Amino acid sequence: MLSERELSAAIGSTAYGPDGEKIGTVEHFFTDDRTGAATWVAVSTGLFGTRHSVVPAADATLTEGSVRLPVTRDAVRAAPAVPDQHLAPEDEALLRRHYGLDAIPDAGPDAGPAPVTGDDATRDLSLPPQGAPAARHDTVAVDRAAAAVPPATADRTDGAMTRSEEQLRVTLQRHPAKRVRVVKYVVTEEVTVTVPVRREEIRVEELPLDADTAAPSVRTGTGTGLPEVIVLHAERPVVTTEVVPVERVLLRTEVVTEHVQVRDTVRRERVDVDTDGVAAPRT
């Protein structure tokens, strides 16, 4: 039995028989009204896919993208023509007779009819024409979108089809990107500082003889009144370095948001009308 995920993946795939012969292309499935299990599948056959046949899907399997059906290609080609959107009880009984699925196990001579409870109490269980066995349930055609949802929400409108498409869903997952370690190192750079320096120079001052200026008392070594040696002083820069604290560094993390484009391939269903040409009558 195909799961809901396999039902959705099987739409549009190629159907093969038990002997490996190609039967056709899977169009949609018919599910049980009560259990939601896929019971029949509509397959397009023929050279251009213009013929539509309904095939049992209870034992169908999905293998490597293709559907394996438990019937041969000849049995599918000889299947009776029934509506490919909704199966009535008499249509299902006709198909079961064709594929040999209408055998009812012998419950013994004393076995009476099965009790009818719940929704089956209001279901029409009368025998179809020509003495065919009663249909166990009604079936409804579902497309790819309906196969992926529970049976209670499947589209059951006759003559209608639900078109579905895939939408891109992006989720975010947090993962470690990098490790950060704090280290302190010394950077050497050249610094130029301009400082003023002073030096002493000799300057000669001439004063009048009658100027009331107290002459500095200097010691003379000769009779000229001038010192023998004058020492001139000058300043020179002395460079030293000192380590002083200048700032404090704090560590913290912050979230930076950026926009990233995500690209992927999505599929969507398209609905086309397949019209069979009918030749005009010759007169």
Side-chain angles (χ1 to χ4, degrees):
M1 180 181 297
L2 298 177
S3 63
E4 294 182 359
R5 183 185 298 271
E6 291 176 336
L7 289 177
S8 179
I11 301 298
S13 62
T14 304
Y16 295 91
D19 51 0
E21 287 187 309
K22 180 180 178 180
I23 296 178
T25 303
V26 177
E27 293 185 345
H28 52 261
F29 289 87
F30 297 86
T31 58
D32 189 283
D33 290 345
R34 294 173 297 177
T35 64
T39 54
W40 303 93
V41 55
V43 180
S44 59
T45 60
L47 182 59
F48 299 101
T50 57
R51 175 178 173 81
H52 304 277
S53 303
V54 178
V55 184
D59 297 329
T61 58
L62 181 64
T63 306
E64 297 180 354
S66 60
V67 177
R68 299 288 178 172
L69 299 176
V71 295
T72 62
R73 183 173 62 179
D74 295 337
V76 175
R77 290 182 176 180
V82 295
D84 60 350
Q85 293 297 331
H86 182 77
L87 292 181
E90 54 271 16
D91 297 330
E92 186 180 1
L94 186 62
L95 291 172
R96 294 181 64 83
R97 269 201 315 274
H98 171 72
Y99 290 110
L101 304 177
D102 55 356
I104 302 177
D106 188 7
D110 298 333
V116 179
T117 59
D119 295 337
D120 293 340
T122 59
R123 192 181 301 274
D124 185 8
L125 298 180
S126 58
L127 291 177
Q130 302 179 358
R136 293 184 302 175
H137 48 72
D138 294 337
T139 55
V140 57
V142 296
D143 59 2
R144 179 175 179 175
V149 298
T153 60
D155 187 4
R156 302 180 182 178
T157 304
D158 294 343
M161 180 179 294
T162 301
R163 188 187 68 84
S164 302
E165 66 182 16
E166 295 178 342
Q167 295 182 353
L168 197 61
R169 294 287 187 268
V170 180
T171 59
L172 300 179
Q173 182 180 7
R174 186 175 180 178
H175 65 92
K178 64 176 64 176
R179 297 177 60 185
V180 178
R181 184 176 60 181
V182 181
V183 295
K184 184 172 64 173
Y185 57 95
V186 178
V187 178
T188 302
E189 61 179 358
E190 297 291 337
V191 177
T192 302
V193 179
T194 302
V195 296
V197 294
R198 296 177 298 175
R199 70 175 181 273
E200 295 178 344
E201 295 181 351
I202 291 296
R203 179 176 297 178
V204 178
E205 294 184 359
E206 296 180 357
L207 300 175
L209 294 178
D210 55 354
D212 188 9
T213 304
S217 61
V218 293
R219 216 171 33 168
T220 61
T222 62
T224 59
L226 296 176
E228 294 180 355
V229 178
I230 299 177
V231 179
L232 300 179
H233 297 81
E235 296 178 342
R236 62 182 178 184
V238 178
V239 179
T240 59
T241 59
E242 180 183 2
V243 179
V244 295
V246 293
E247 64 181 1
R248 297 179 61 190
V249 178
L250 300 179
L251 298 180
R252 64 179 181 180
T253 60
E254 62 180 5
V255 178
V256 179
T257 302
E258 61 180 358
H259 296 279
V260 179
Q261 292 184 351
V262 179
R263 179 178 299 178
D264 200 353
T265 302
V266 297
R267 299 176 298 174
R268 61 181 179 182
E269 298 176 343
R270 298 184 61 182
V271 178
D272 294 330
V273 178
D274 188 4
T275 304
D276 294 336
V278 180
R282 302 179 60 182
T283 58

